[in-house]
Amino acid sequence: MIRHLIRLVWNRKRANILVLVEIFLSFMVLFAICSSGLYFYNNYSKPLGFSHEDVWVLQLRPPQNLMSPETREEGVNLFQQLLRQIRANGEVEHGAGAFVVPYGESHWMTSLGLNSRKLPVSYSPIGLDFEKVMELEMVEGRFWNETDLALTVKPLVINVTLARELFGSESAVGEVVEFNDTERKVIGVVQDYRHQGDLTPLKFFVMAPHILSKPTSYLYDKVVMKMAPGVSTGFEEKLMDELEAMAPGWSFTVQTMERMRNDYFKKQLSVMAIFGLVAVFMLVMVAMGLVGVLWQNVTRRTSELGVRRAKGATRNRIYFQILGELMVITTLAIFMGLVVAVQLPILGVTGSVGNGVLASGFCLALVLIYLLTTVSGLYPSWLATRINPAEALHYE
Amino acid sequence: MFRNYLKIAIKVLLRRKFFTFVSLFGIAFTLMVLIVITALAQHANSNGKPEIHSKRSLHITRLTLRHSNNSNEWNSSPGYKFLDRHIRDLPGLENYTIYSQFNTVAAYVGGRKLELSLKRTDGRYWEVMAFEFLEGRPLSREDEALGRHVAVINEATRDQYFNGENAVGKTLEADGQTFQVVGVVKNVPIYRMAPFSDIWVPISSAKSSNYRHQLGGGFNAILLAVSASAFPTIKRAFADELGKVEFTDPKRYDTAIAFADTKLEMISRSIVLSEEEGAGVEKFAGLLILFMLLFMLLPGVNLINLNMSRIMERYTEIGVRKAFGATSHGLTTQFLLENLVLTVLGGFVGLVLAHIALRITTASGVIPYANLNVNLSVFVYAMILAGIFGVLSGVYPAWRMSRQHPVAALKGGSL
């Protein structure tokens, strides 16, 4: 039966090749949409790992962007005064300096070495108490305190994903790794948290203490604050006045992390919505186009189908012949898609989209393309069963 | 002759309404997406107010500092010191301006917090740009020289901060500083990067004068040439200036790379990351065309399919016409024309859809102060796009059809 269908498709190859190309292209569009949809859903469904409630992010801009050695010390002192002032307020439970915060749209990369292995990692230099502000959960070990910072081998905290990659199921605490060309000791493993936002993938992630007293290090550009529940925006104005009085040359802006999260989602989702909408419209267009083409094909083949009916083929068999031919073409298109899809991991263009996500995206697209072609084939196939054999033969 | 073809085309389109609808839907939707993209690009690039001189303008927006031997690299917008020293004496300039990128600052009014964009500019900025003033005056060179705390605000800020009442002479607090409002201008959309802001204040009103010593960070410049033909001279002179940059720490950086670009070159440079004089405009254009063709591929194949079906249906008609001496050439022209009628029709529908989409975008406030619409040049681009689409999707079916043998066609043979 299937061999027969394939022969039928082959006999009309010139008419079918265009349909094949069209289905192939639609399949690729579906594949792209399904894979990226699954990719984001996959990221979103993993635990967030931190709390954004009652967290405020204060951006500070010192008067000079390029740090000159003469004014650096003054800047560091002033920053520390500001941080003390922030923490002194009863409304602020914890405060910490930072550069990379969730939803902040920036991330830093470096490499981490163990023995002869080097891994690219995402990292964030942070100040004391950062983990308390973000309510991060420890898997083992702990974050550093003042005494750890005084040691010659400085501490590090890594996330679970990285700890598993480097040390497997063994404990990571106490291990010495090479980080930024210096030796560092891992003193804690933190539960994975999405340090860039809900929709971004989990990466190898390292948190290192930021040592302000080093002459080459930058000043923090952010302070994250955990507020007592129910602090109003009125406090924000008061805090701004306080800080501006202390550091006249600086600029300050405050945002709640809740608001940053909303902005982040709005931005990401509207981009996805635009792409999704365009894709859906394209597929609707393709479906209607297929209906048109198949309909035309059926009308052209009136006499052929009429002969089959006259020779005793049932309506059902005619129905499934038309649908079956379409399925043969769709399957061919999917094979073409498979050939293209397996190139992607080989070429290494998939980035952080895992092969698992690609495979499930492919399967989902496969189901959807069969659905799409079946739905567009239903009416033309039904039309084919309506052919009256006597009338059809009359034309011959 | 053409009138005859046109008549046939319309008759054929009306005969198979389903086919016509599907084709039109596909064409209209494809062209709508392309028109929206074109409109965005055209609006960001046009030389309407306030950028009335954009055809004579060169922009300096990026500065790369490098070290020739190690891998140190700093990438940012240029700093005030760099621009101030190295653009002042360039030949062929009618005017130039230095202005900061916008920063988001907080302003509090009646217990409410406003987040506003603030840009610091020199006095010349207001000579290079032609803002539309609702009241008051622009910032002047004198304001900049004396470091006056004065501000020009836009309409939206006036509405929010002063409840829409006259603002000139009143004071405004933003970023912890107090400014006296001297002028109010119409809103400028954010996709016009050089003029966009909510509040404009003199550079010299900054909280500290540190910016004067910075090579990198925070500022942009526009060079207004006497005419566009002076561009090569200016670019060459600016390249020479880069060799004269004094580095504070030559051990870290000893090379400066920057370009004076037209708007198109600026966009192209930021996308193809070119470090050549021509900014890789050709490569950028190539990428753009490739993207558009890829996007048109699926709707195009869909349309080719539909056209093939429609032509198959008219087999006998073609056979008869061929038997009576119609040439392949004539028939091809006829079918191409039919397809063009369809796509141009689709182009019009697409234009209407694009208009609606742009209206929705403008009304939603996603793009601050957007004022997007379909104007004459967008319309022209749309029709060109529709034409390209029409020809591309019509050529293959028309060619296949015209090669048909009349005997086979008369019999209703297979294609």
Side-chain angles (χ1 to χ4, degrees):
Chain A
M1 177 71 182
I2 289 176
R3 275 182 69 177
H4 180 63
L5 279 177
I6 292 173
R7 185 173 303 152
L8 279 174
V9 171
W10 180 250
N11 286 342
R12 297 170 37 81
K13 53 186 173 300
R14 288 187 90 180
N16 283 333
I17 189 105
L18 276 170
V19 178
L20 175 70
V21 170
E22 184 169 351
I23 295 178
F24 165 68
L25 289 174
S26 321
F27 178 70
M28 291 320 285
V29 170
L30 269 173
F31 176 47
I33 292 291
C34 290
S35 304
S36 44
L38 281 175
Y39 170 69
F40 286 118
Y41 179 74
N42 200 16
N43 291 340
Y44 178 73
S45 60
K46 282 178 191 149
L48 195 54
F50 66 90
S51 162
H52 48 78
E53 274 162 48
D54 296 316
V55 175
W56 289 12
V57 179
L58 170 74
Q59 291 249 14
L60 21 88
R61 226 179 17 250
Q64 199 169 352
N65 292 0
L66 273 182
M67 297 277 267
S68 79
E70 303 89 64
T71 58
R72 236 198 60 84
E73 206 174 317
E74 191 190 330
V76 170
N77 285 337
L78 201 47
F79 174 83
Q80 268 152 353
Q81 280 174 34
L82 290 171
L83 190 58
R84 265 199 296 280
Q85 178 65 32
I86 291 167
R87 284 171 172 161
N89 278 295
E91 287 90 343
V92 182
E93 291 184 346
H94 301 288
F99 294 93
V100 183
V101 296
Y103 317 112
E105 292 180 354
S106 73
H107 76 122
W108 296 19
M109 295 293 293
T110 185
S111 66
L112 187 114
L114 178 70
N115 306 328
S116 58
R117 227 176 132 195
K118 266 209 165 174
L119 280 178
V121 294
S122 196
Y123 91 106
S124 170
I126 52 171
L128 283 172
D129 285 355
F130 183 83
E131 76 280 8
K132 291 181 191 148
V133 176
M134 305 302 299
E135 294 183 3
L136 302 181
E137 198 186 309
M138 293 308 285
V139 177
E140 54 175 325
R142 57 183 172 81
F143 266 86
W144 51 84
N145 52 34
E146 305 273 0
T147 40
D148 292 306
L149 297 184
L151 299 173
T152 32
V153 178
K154 302 287 184 235
L156 269 190
V157 169
I158 62 177
N159 70 349
V160 178
T161 312
L162 180 59
R164 294 278 168 278
E165 175 71 24
L166 286 177
F167 307 107
S169 53
E170 282 160 41
S171 167
V173 171
E175 299 284 345
V176 174
V177 292
E178 193 182 312
F179 174 78
N180 260 353
D181 303 324
T182 51
E183 290 208 325
R184 298 287 189 112
K185 193 166 152 192
V186 178
I187 64 161
V189 176
V190 70
Q191 188 58 260
D192 287 327
Y193 86 95
R194 228 72 57 66
H195 61 281
Q196 283 175 272
D198 301 48
L199 300 175
T200 45
L202 283 177
K203 290 190 181 134
F204 298 144
F205 187 54
V206 175
M207 282 185 274
H210 186 59
I211 322 265
L212 276 178
S213 53
K214 257 198 333 203
T216 52
S217 55
Y218 295 99
L219 257 190
Y220 290 111
D221 64 356
K222 293 180 195 78
V223 170
V224 286
M225 301 179 279
K226 179 78 179 178
M227 311 304 288
V231 174
S232 70
T233 39
F235 173 67
E236 182 184 330
E237 204 174 337
K238 186 188 145 226
L239 185 70
M240 291 294 99
D241 288 344
E242 264 176 29
L243 299 180
E244 269 157 13
M246 285 175 70
W250 298 40
S251 282
F252 302 96
T253 37
V254 170
Q255 270 189 321
T256 62
M257 197 166 273
E258 203 63 54
R259 165 85 204 277
M260 290 168 76
R261 183 167 191 255
N262 287 342
D263 288 351
Y264 168 83
F265 269 108
K266 225 197 271 173
K267 206 169 176 181
Q268 301 277 331
L269 290 179
S270 50
V271 172
M272 277 188 235
I274 288 172
F275 276 99
L277 210 65
V278 169
V280 166
F281 269 103
M282 272 198 169
L283 294 171
V284 169
M285 196 162 79
V286 167
M288 293 204 293
L290 277 180
V291 173
V293 172
L294 294 172
W295 181 356
Q296 196 58 44
N297 279 350
V298 168
T299 345
R300 294 266 313 146
R301 293 165 69 185
T302 306
S303 39
E304 172 200 336
L305 297 170
V307 170
R308 281 207 65 197
R309 289 278 285 137
K311 292 272 247 170
T314 59
R315 292 203 157 157
N316 257 341
R317 295 202 60 168
I318 299 288
Y319 189 80
F320 287 111
Q321 180 196 339
I322 301 292
L323 263 187
E325 283 180 25
L326 186 60
M327 291 305 114
V328 168
I329 298 175
T330 310
T331 312
L332 261 174
I334 291 171
F335 270 113
M336 284 165 66
L338 183 65
V339 171
V340 176
V342 293
Q343 310 298 320
L344 296 178
I346 297 171
L347 290 173
V349 290
T350 52
S352 56
V353 185
N355 287 349
V357 170
L358 279 186
S360 26
F362 190 89
C363 295
L364 191 59
L366 184 138
V367 173
L368 287 177
I369 196 79
Y370 274 125
L371 205 69
L372 183 89
T373 48
T374 312
V375 168
S376 7
L378 286 182
Y379 178 68
S381 314
W382 177 81
L383 212 62
T385 65
R386 297 291 101 188
I387 291 169
N388 187 340
E391 217 174 285
L393 287 175
H394 172 76
Y395 285 112
E396 264 306 275
Chain B
M1 189 73 162
F2 271 107
R3 250 186 74 193
N4 236 348
Y5 286 168
L6 218 65
K7 266 188 194 161
I8 297 174
I10 290 164
K11 280 274 145 59
V12 169
L13 291 182
L14 287 177
R15 198 169 64 206
R16 295 303 296 265
K17 294 205 177 61
F18 178 75
F19 273 54
T20 311
F21 169 73
V22 174
S23 315
L24 266 183
F25 175 83
I27 298 164
F29 181 75
T30 312
L31 292 176
M32 180 200 89
V33 174
L34 293 176
I35 292 168
V36 167
I37 296 170
T38 318
L40 284 172
Q42 201 261 343
H43 276 269
N45 208 6
S46 81
N47 57 342
K49 280 188 173 182
E51 296 168 283
I52 48 166
H53 298 308
S54 70
K55 289 210 167 109
R56 290 194 282 137
S57 299
L58 291 174
H59 300 253
I60 305 172
T61 53
R62 300 300 298 167
L63 173 71
T64 306
L65 298 181
R66 281 226 183 100
H67 193 274
S68 39
N69 290 329
N70 58 41
S71 61
N72 281 351
E73 182 166 313
W74 167 285
N75 226 315
S76 73
S77 46
Y80 187 85
K81 178 175 143 193
F82 171 78
L83 293 172
D84 189 48
R85 285 223 183 138
H86 299 287
I87 65 174
R88 215 181 261 273
D89 302 320
L90 292 176
L93 291 191
E94 181 185 302
N95 209 340
Y96 65 85
T97 167
I98 302 174
Y99 60 94
S100 80
Q101 294 173 303
F102 66 84
N103 286 318
T104 307
V105 300
Y108 300 91
V109 52
R112 233 164 14 105
K113 178 186 172 191
L114 301 178
E115 279 180 8
L116 301 170
S117 303
L118 181 133
K119 198 170 245 180
R120 295 183 190 267
T121 76
D122 58 7
R124 293 165 174 269
Y125 181 79
W126 303 86
E127 296 159 17
V128 174
M129 306 267 181
F131 282 90
E132 292 176 80
F133 275 84
L134 298 172
E135 50 172 316
R137 63 166 179 89
L139 303 178
S140 64
R141 294 193 195 190
E142 201 188 336
D143 291 332
E144 165 70 5
L146 300 177
R148 285 188 189 135
H149 280 55
V150 288
V152 172
I153 61 174
N154 70 354
E155 208 180 340
T157 309
R158 183 176 72 174
D159 288 346
Q160 290 183 67
Y161 201 94
F162 299 106
N163 291 321
E165 292 159 24
N166 273 0
V168 169
K170 294 184 182 159
T171 55
L172 171 120
E173 262 181 66
D175 203 15
Q177 286 184 303
T178 309
F179 299 99
Q180 192 185 19
V181 177
V182 293
V184 180
V185 295
K186 276 195 179 173
N187 295 336
V188 180
I190 195 165
Y191 45 78
R192 290 170 170 266
M193 290 304 283
F196 168 80
S197 192
D198 290 316
I199 308 173
W200 296 261
V201 300
I203 299 178
S204 52
S205 70
K207 290 170 185 167
S208 93
S209 60
N210 275 332
Y211 67 90
R212 292 186 174 278
H213 313 296
Q214 281 171 230
L215 213 49
F219 288 87
N220 287 345
I222 296 178
L223 310 176
L224 184 59
V226 194
S227 76
S229 57
F231 282 174
T233 330
I234 298 173
K235 287 180 177 192
R236 220 170 306 124
F238 181 63
D240 290 343
E241 283 290 328
L242 290 176
K244 298 181 202 157
V245 175
E246 286 169 28
F247 295 89
T248 27
D249 186 0
K251 271 189 218 135
R252 278 184 96 162
Y253 307 110
D254 61 7
T255 322
I257 300 161
F259 296 95
D261 284 338
T262 61
K263 258 192 183 178
L264 178 66
E265 287 170 339
M266 191 167 74
I267 297 165
S268 139
R269 197 183 294 285
S270 68
I271 290 178
V272 300
L273 301 175
S274 157
E275 277 195 9
E276 280 152 36
E277 196 55 54
V281 171
E282 296 88 4
K283 198 172 158 196
F284 174 63
L287 279 176
L288 208 65
I289 291 170
L290 189 73
F291 168 77
M292 287 206 160
L293 286 180
L294 265 182
F295 179 74
M296 287 199 270
L297 194 60
L298 183 52
V301 171
N302 195 30
L303 194 62
I304 291 174
N305 258 327
L306 286 167
N307 281 341
M308 291 299 291
S309 305
R310 200 178 20 228
I311 286 168
M312 277 195 242
E313 187 200 31
R314 292 165 66 186
Y315 244 46
T316 23
E317 176 198 331
I318 297 158
V320 170
R321 294 216 29 215
K322 277 211 145 179
F324 278 86
T327 60
S328 290
H329 182 75
L331 283 171
T332 313
T333 319
Q334 183 193 336
F335 274 86
L336 266 183
L337 193 79
E338 269 178 34
N339 204 47
L340 269 178
V341 169
L342 190 69
T343 42
V344 168
L345 216 63
F348 275 108
V349 180
L351 211 58
V352 173
L353 290 179
H355 177 74
I356 296 169
L358 291 175
R359 268 296 149 85
I360 293 173
T361 317
T362 304
S364 71
V366 179
I367 306 172
Y369 315 133
N371 183 20
L372 298 164
N373 49 31
V374 174
N375 54 25
L376 186 67
S377 50
V378 171
F379 175 79
V380 172
Y381 287 134
M383 285 303 123
I384 293 174
L385 275 173
I388 294 174
F389 192 71
V391 172
L392 285 185
S393 62
V395 164
Y396 178 69
W399 174 74
R400 280 286 298 277
M401 174 278 310
S402 66
R403 274 183 12 145
Q404 203 56 48
H405 201 276
V407 178
L410 271 174
K411 192 179 164 284
S414 69
L415 198 63

